[in-house]
C-alpha cells in the first residue's frame, strides 16, 4: 500500500507539473493576443467615463455608446489617413539625409567647442566621419532595421494589431457593463456588495487615469509640434509624435522626450533651435507638473509618490511603455484593496 500510495502521489504530482507547463506554454504562445485584450480592456475603461458623461446629459445608453464609437473610429481613421503618410515621408526623408546631416556637424560651432575642449583625448571630427559612413552604408541601416522584410512584417503586424485593438476596444466599450455584471455574479452574495463598490471605484479611477495620461501626452505632442514649427525645427511631426509617445510614460516620459527632441534638433537644425526647444521643454515640464497634471489627474488616483515611482519603473522594465502606463493604476488598485480589505480583516482577527 505504501508503494502504491507513493506511485499514485508521484503520478498525480507529475501530471500536475505537466499541466502547469502546458498552461504556461499556452499563455506564452498567446502572449500577443492577451496583450491585445489587455490593452483594449484598459482603453475601454478610459472611454467608459465619456459614455457615462453623455448619459448624464440625458442621452440614451445606446446613443452615448454610438457617439463614443463614432468619435473613436473617426479619430483612428483621421490619424491613419492624415498623419501617418506625412510621418512616413518625414521618416524616409530623415533616413535619406541623415548621413549628410551627421557629416555636416563638423561645421557646427558647438562641435568646434567640443573639439577644442576634448580634442586631446578624442578626435571628434574622425568620430563624426565614421558615424556618417556607418549610416551612409545601406547594409548597416538594413542591419539596424532588421532587414527590409522584417521591417515590412513589423509594419504589417503593427497595423493589424492596431486594428484588432480598436475593434476589441469598441466591443468592450459597448458591453463593459455586461462584462462587469457577469464578473459580479461570480462573487458570493454575502461579499458582492463590497466587491461591486471596490470594483467600481477601481475601474473608475483607472478610466480617469487613462484619459488623463493620454490627454497630457496629446497636449505635449501638439504643443511640441506648434513650437517646432514656430522656431523652424526640422521633422516637426516626427519629433512631436515622439514627444507624445514618450509622454505616455509617467514621471520620466516628458524628460526623455525633451532630451530626444532637443538632441534631434541639435543635429538636424542648429544650436539656436535646440536651445529654444530645450528652454521650452523646461518651462513646459514645470507647467505640466504644477498646473496641467493636478487639474487632469487629481480625481484619477491617489497613492504615495514613492509607490508611483516604483510602479512606473517596474512596469516599464517588464512591459515597456504599456507596462509603465498601466503599472500606476494597478498599484493604486492594490493599495485600495489593502486599505479596504486586508487591514480591516487584520483588525478584526
Amino acid at each position: 500500500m505504501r508503494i502504491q500510495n507513493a506511485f499514485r502521489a508521484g503520478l498525480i504530482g507529475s501530471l500536475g507539473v505537466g499541466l502547469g507547463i502546458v498552461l504556461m506554454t499556452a499563455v506564452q504562445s498567446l502572449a500577443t493576443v492577451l496583450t491585445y485584450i489587455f490593452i483594449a480592456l484598459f482603453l475601454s475603461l478610459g472611454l467608459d467615463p465619456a459614455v457615462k458623461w453623455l448619459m448624464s446629459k440625458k442621452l440614451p445608453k445606446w446613443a452615448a455608446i454610438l457617439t463614443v464609437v463614432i468619435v473613436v473610429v473617426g479619430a483612428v481613421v483621421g490619424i491613419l489617413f492624415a498623419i501617418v503618410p506625412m510621418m512616413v515621408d518625414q521618416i524616409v526623408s530623415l533616413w535619406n539625409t541623415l548621413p549628410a546631416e551627421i557629416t555636416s556637424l563638423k561645421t557646427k560651432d558647438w562641435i568646434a567647442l567640443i573639439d577644442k575642449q576634448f580634442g586631446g583625448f578624442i578626435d571628434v571630427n574622425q568620430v563624426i566621419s565614421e558615424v556618417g559612413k556607418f549610416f551612409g552604408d545601406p547594409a548597416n541601416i538594413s542591419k539596424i532595421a532588421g532587414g527590409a522584410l522584417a521591417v515590412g512584417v513589423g509594419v504589417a503586424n503593427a497595423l493589424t494589431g492596431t486594428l484588432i485593438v480598436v475593434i476589441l476596444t469598441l466591443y468592450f466599450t459597448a458591453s463593459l457593463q455586461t462584462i462587469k455584471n457577469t464578473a459580479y455574479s461570480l462573487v458570493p452574495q454575502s461579499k458582492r456588495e463590497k466587491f461591486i463598490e471596490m470594483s467600481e471605484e477601481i475601474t473608475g479611477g483607472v478610466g480617469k487615469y487613462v484619459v488623463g495620461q493620454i490627454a497630457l501626452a496629446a497636449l505635449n505632442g501638439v504643443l511640441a509640434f506648434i513650437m517646432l514649427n514656430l522656431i523652424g525645427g526640422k521633422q516637426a511631426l516626427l519629433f512631436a509624435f515622439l514627444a507624445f509617445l514618450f509622454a505616455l510614460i509617467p514621471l520620466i516620459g516628458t524628460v526623455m522626450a525633451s532630451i530626444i527632441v532637443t538632441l534631434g534638433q541639435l543635429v538636424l537644425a542648429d544650436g539656436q533651435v535646440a536651445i529654444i526647444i530645450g528652454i521650452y521643454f523646461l518651462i513646459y515640464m514645470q507647467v505640466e507638473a504644477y498646473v496641467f497634471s493636478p487639474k487632469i489627474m487629481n480625481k484619477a488616483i491617489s497613492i504615495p509618490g514613492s509607490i508611483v515611482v516604483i510602479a512606473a519603473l517596474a512596469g516599464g522594465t517588464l512591459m515597456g511603455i504599456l507596462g509603465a502606463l498601466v503599472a500606476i493604476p494597478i498599484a493604486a488598485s492594490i493599495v485600495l484593496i489593502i486599505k479596504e480589505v486586508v487591514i480591516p480583516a487584520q483588525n478584526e482577527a
Side-chain angles (χ1 to χ4, degrees), residues 132-145:
K133 290 179 182 178
F134 178 84
F135 283 99
D137 188 352
N140 292 329
I141 296 179
S142 179
K143 291 178 182 179
I144 295 174

Side-chain angles (χ1 to χ4, degrees), residues 39-92:
I39 295 174
L41 186 59
F42 199 67
L43 293 175
S44 67
L45 291 176
L47 295 177
D48 190 52
V51 175
K52 292 181 177 179
W53 181 81
L54 290 174
M55 292 176 62
S56 68
K57 301 299 181 182
K58 308 302 181 181
L59 204 64
K61 183 178 179 180
W62 66 267
I65 294 175
L66 181 62
T67 302
V68 172
V69 167
I70 292 175
V71 171
V72 172
V73 172
V76 172
V77 172
I79 291 173
L80 289 177
F81 287 95
I83 298 178
V84 172
M86 297 172 58
M87 190 177 302
V88 170
D89 290 341
Q90 291 196 2
I91 293 174
V92 173

Side-chain angles (χ1 to χ4, degrees), residues 273-284:
V273 173
I275 291 173
I276 294 174
I277 198 66
I279 294 174
Y280 156 76
F281 271 110
L282 288 175
I283 297 174
Y284 172 79

Side-chain angles (χ1 to χ4, degrees), residues 20 60 66 71 79 88 94 98 102 125 149 183 204 249 257 260 334 347:
L66 181 62
V71 171
I79 291 173
V88 170
L94 178 62
L98 187 59
I102 294 176
N125 291 325
L149 180 60
I249 305 175
I260 292 174
I334 294 174
N347 293 333

Side-chain angles (χ1 to χ4, degrees), residues 26-322:
V27 170
Q28 185 177 6
S29 301
L30 296 172
T32 302
V33 177
L34 294 176
T35 302
Y36 290 158
I37 295 173
F38 184 72
I39 295 174
L41 186 59
F42 199 67
L43 293 175
S44 67
L45 291 176
L47 295 177
D48 190 52
V51 175
K52 292 181 177 179
W53 181 81
L54 290 174
M55 292 176 62
S56 68
K57 301 299 181 182
K58 308 302 181 181
L59 204 64
K61 183 178 179 180
W62 66 267
I65 294 175
L66 181 62
T67 302
V68 172
V69 167
I70 292 175
V71 171
V72 172
V73 172
V76 172
V77 172
I79 291 173
L80 289 177
F81 287 95
I83 298 178
V84 172
M86 297 172 58
M87 190 177 302
V88 170
D89 290 341
Q90 291 196 2
I91 293 174
V92 173
S93 175
L94 178 62
W95 277 114
N96 290 334
T97 60
L98 187 59
E101 294 286 354
I102 294 176
T103 304
S104 67
L105 289 176
K106 296 179 181 180
T107 61
K108 303 287 186 179
D109 294 337
W110 60 274
I111 287 293
L113 180 61
I114 293 177
D115 187 40
K116 182 179 179 180
Q117 296 294 328
F118 303 100
F121 303 97
I122 184 173
D123 190 345
V124 178
N125 291 325
Q126 181 64 28
V127 171
I128 294 174
S129 299
E130 292 299 325
V131 173
K133 290 179 182 178
F134 178 84
F135 283 99
D137 188 352
N140 292 329
I141 296 179
S142 179
K143 291 178 182 179
I144 295 174
L149 180 60
V151 173
V153 172
V155 172
N157 289 337
L159 294 176
T160 303
T162 301
L163 181 61
I164 292 173
V165 169
V166 170
I167 293 174
L168 286 176
T169 301
L170 299 178
Y171 172 78
F172 287 150
T173 301
S175 58
L176 186 60
Q177 193 58 48
T178 302
I179 296 174
K180 288 182 180 180
N181 293 335
T182 303
Y184 298 156
S185 65
L186 300 177
V187 180
Q189 181 68 38
S190 59
K191 301 179 180 179
R192 189 173 299 170
E193 183 178 354
K194 184 65 175 179
F195 181 81
I196 292 175
E197 180 184 348
M198 292 188 58
S199 297
E200 291 295 332
E201 185 174 351
I202 290 173
T203 54
V206 170
K208 293 174 183 177
Y209 172 78
V210 173
V211 173
Q213 194 64 38
I214 294 177
L216 287 175
L219 181 64
N220 189 13
V222 171
L223 293 180
F225 177 75
I226 295 173
M227 190 65 187
L228 286 171
N229 279 288
L230 290 176
I231 64 176
K234 298 295 184 65
Q235 312 294 348
L237 183 60
L238 176 60
F239 283 106
F241 176 75
L242 292 176
F244 162 76
L245 193 64
F246 278 96
L248 291 173
I249 305 175
L251 301 177
I252 62 173
T254 305
V255 177
M256 296 172 61
S258 65
I259 294 173
I260 292 174
V261 175
T262 302
L263 291 179
Q265 295 304 313
L266 187 62
V267 173
L268 299 178
D270 54 45
Q272 183 178 0
V273 173
I275 291 173
I276 294 174
I277 198 66
I279 294 174
Y280 156 76
F281 271 110
L282 288 175
I283 297 174
Y284 172 79
M285 284 187 285
Q286 303 305 311
V287 176
E288 180 187 82
Y290 294 103
V291 179
F292 296 150
S293 187
K295 286 184 176 296
I296 295 177
M297 305 292 285
N298 61 347
K299 295 183 180 180
I301 54 175
S302 178
I303 55 177
S306 59
I307 297 180
V308 172
V309 175
I310 295 172
L313 292 176
T317 302
L318 293 174
M319 297 179 62
I321 294 177
L322 174 63

